[in-house]
Amino acid sequence: MRLNQVFLAGLASITLALNACGGGGASPSQAPIAATPPPSPPTSSNSESKDAPAEGLLRDTYAGRFKVGAALYSNQVTQDTEEGAIVNSQFNSIGAEYEMKPDFIAPEPGVYNFEGADRLVDYAVANDMEIRFHALLWHESTPDYFLEGTREDIKARLEAYITTVVTRYRDRVKIWDVVNEVVTEDANATDPYRQSNWQTAVGNNDYIDWAFQAARAADPDAILFINDYGTRFEGKRNQYIEIIQDLLDRGIPLDGVGHQFHIPWNANAENVLASIDAVDNLFAGLVNHVTEMDVSVYTDPGECWQEQRNCDEDYGSELPQNIDSTQARLVKAIFEGLAERPSVEMVHFWGVSDGQSWLNFSPIERTNYPLLFDREFNPKTWFYAITDPNYVIPE
Ligand code: GLA
């Protein structure tokens, strides 16, 4: 289900890129805003200006603090589209939305497909960008054959996969999401580990240890991450921390913690930042990365995600100004907080522009506005809010 949605999002990005190339263009659903914002713009989001932001504005604003990047599809790294130009001009790090996942790289036994990952890695190296490799193990992108046979078969297959991938890129890639989303989905569970296809096949959680150990063996200098979502909620955060502590206590090679930050526009910045503080408070020297940030303009209940029921109504092409502004205030507060926390070394968005986000398809098909740039690749209110300290966010 979710994977289909990811594919759809990928197709959307390809369609968008083609539209942009062909001059057809996606229809504007949010008006552009001025490149040099006035001190107190009454309706700055309605400006006619379509100027691109200054070269390097976003990455330079946070230079010396953390890298800023985005997860992309390999067709987005090009100098030939507006979106590609944004990537080049504003980010100093990239990763993959999908093409670095196991079911893409190793769909069948003995078949390896490195085309997308190679293209992204080559592009990053050629343009002096950092790379986040996401992810070596995720229950949702595990090909069925990975989990066939005995526990020993599964271990050997996982080790062979991780060794192959890490060895291929180890001269160019240092940052690896080793395991993704291994925390339980039950906020009240006393066992913090996810009951997943991996846990069932292996019989316990040893696969997590195997993954980290294989990655470290393939590259002793690799920086190895665990990654998860929903950590602004205390229950999930505590479960995440319990797993991190358990891995550290048992000497599993873990260097960093990923915080996805798929958050809604009305989230509380302090709760979001508490996720970073909880890791810092372990005093284990762990690095923090924000790995998949996007800010949905919907605040759906759990049943919308689980059963596509009671989802918020589609805003269509008319996003209310107060949501755009609240989104900008939230992100500004989060970025200020991140900049104050020295353990944060990278912030990645999950995509570049609104039209291409997976959130237009998940949990239901609907127009979303979760990213830094609008459907015509103009910077949005929150882009200015995090790059210009004097910018006044419209009411
Ligand atoms: C999770 C995964 C990502 C991506 C997103 C959106 O957050 O970690 O790899 O698939 O879902 O689908």
Side-chain angles (χ1 to χ4, degrees), residues 109-122:
V111 175
Y112 279 94
N113 169 23
F114 287 116
E115 212 179 308
D118 279 355
R119 182 150 182 223
L120 287 159
V121 171
D122 289 347

Side-chain angles (χ1 to χ4, degrees), residues 137-156:
L137 189 155
W138 184 34
H139 63 281
E140 287 211 30
S141 61
T142 298
D144 290 344
Y145 77 90
F146 264 42
L147 300 178
E148 284 169 5
T150 64
R151 191 181 140 85
E152 284 65 38
D153 295 335
I154 296 169
K155 180 170 190 264

